[in-house]
Amino acid sequence: MNVKKLPLGPVQANCYIVTKGNHAIVIDPGDLFDLDSILAQGPYTLEAVLLTHAHFDHIKGVDAIVRSHSVPVYIHPQEVAFLKDPSLNASVAFYDRVSIQSPALPLQPGRMNLADFEIDVLFTPGHSCGSTCFIIDNALFSGDTLFQYSIGRTDLPTGSFMEMKESLVRLSSLDDQLIVYPGHGPSTTIGMEKRMNPYLLSL
């Protein structure tokens, strides 16, 4: 499995293009980018778009990808409505109003199979009510739940610090060697965060 990180948009949210065999998925396309040139390198067939949550900086590029590739979009069922609603996806407060028109399929917790990918879907509310993490092979895509030495904010609509703490407890139980690819900033590991992240140390 290979992971390509693209910081996109005004707040440099991390979009990830994950490839395995001749297949690819996109996680959190927060703005427009040249996906076709990346897929051509395989060549890779795009299978789906996965969203860790529906804040504007993680979703703005969704419609362009779906128009070009007609792939399904997956998100926590509680955040399907966020995609079209600028007040819920926080774009009304931070950016031009973002409203995604592509249909979305609701994620379910547990194992999900897409082509060559076996994906463990973990619901981790706190940053938002439907925040979700994905484990693929030895990688955790943590969205805005867990960052290097920090965590996502909990003061936006549907955020909850108490739920965030419960989600962090769950993540801290994962394998220390798991590589963490967060929604913003550099990659890390579960073990490093257990040693250095003040929010995990205080659990």
Side-chain angles (χ1 to χ4, degrees), residues 25 62-63 70 98-99 103 105 145 148 169 182 191 201:
I25 57 175
V62 167
D63 281 347
S70 300
V98 173
S99 181
L105 299 173
T145 299
Q148 184 188 67
V169 168
L201 289 169

Side-chain angles (χ1 to χ4, degrees), residues 20-88:
K20 190 173 184 180
N22 293 114
H23 303 277
I25 57 175
V26 174
I27 299 176
D28 289 358
D31 213 330
L32 304 179
F33 66 100
D34 187 1
L35 175 60
D36 288 344
S37 67
I38 297 171
L39 296 178
Q41 294 171 17
Y44 303 108
T45 299
L46 185 65
E47 301 296 337
V49 174
L50 302 182
L51 300 176
T52 62
H53 64 296
H55 286 154
F56 73 94
D57 54 325
H58 295 256
I59 66 172
K60 189 181 178 185
V62 167
D63 281 347
I65 292 174
V66 173
R67 281 194 300 269
S68 297
H69 297 278
S70 300
V71 292
V73 179
Y74 293 93
I75 194 169
H76 190 289
Q78 290 188 8
E79 295 200 12
V80 171
F82 287 38
L83 296 171
K84 291 185 178 181
D85 190 332
S87 63
L88 291 174

Side-chain angles (χ1 to χ4, degrees), residues 70-136:
S70 300
V71 292
V73 179
Y74 293 93
I75 194 169
H76 190 289
Q78 290 188 8
E79 295 200 12
V80 171
F82 287 38
L83 296 171
K84 291 185 178 181
D85 190 332
S87 63
L88 291 174
N89 65 41
S91 62
V92 70
F94 289 91
Y95 195 58
D96 295 336
R97 290 173 179 263
V98 173
S99 181
I100 300 303
Q101 303 305 308
S102 302
L105 299 173
L107 289 165
Q108 300 298 327
R111 179 62 57 86
M112 176 181 184
N113 293 290
L114 290 171
D116 289 345
F117 299 98
E118 290 187 351
I119 304 164
D120 288 323
V121 178
L122 307 179
F123 288 166
T124 53
H127 177 65
S128 65
C129 64
S131 285
T132 301
C133 295
F134 304 106
I135 299 177
I136 308 174

Side-chain angles (χ1 to χ4, degrees), residues 161-179:
F161 186 69
M162 291 305 297
E163 288 188 326
M164 176 66 85
K165 288 182 67 174
E166 293 174 3
S167 294
L168 294 175
V169 168
R170 186 176 188 191
L171 295 184
S172 68
S173 71
L174 299 174
D175 191 317
D176 283 3
Q177 302 306 310
L178 204 61
I179 302 168

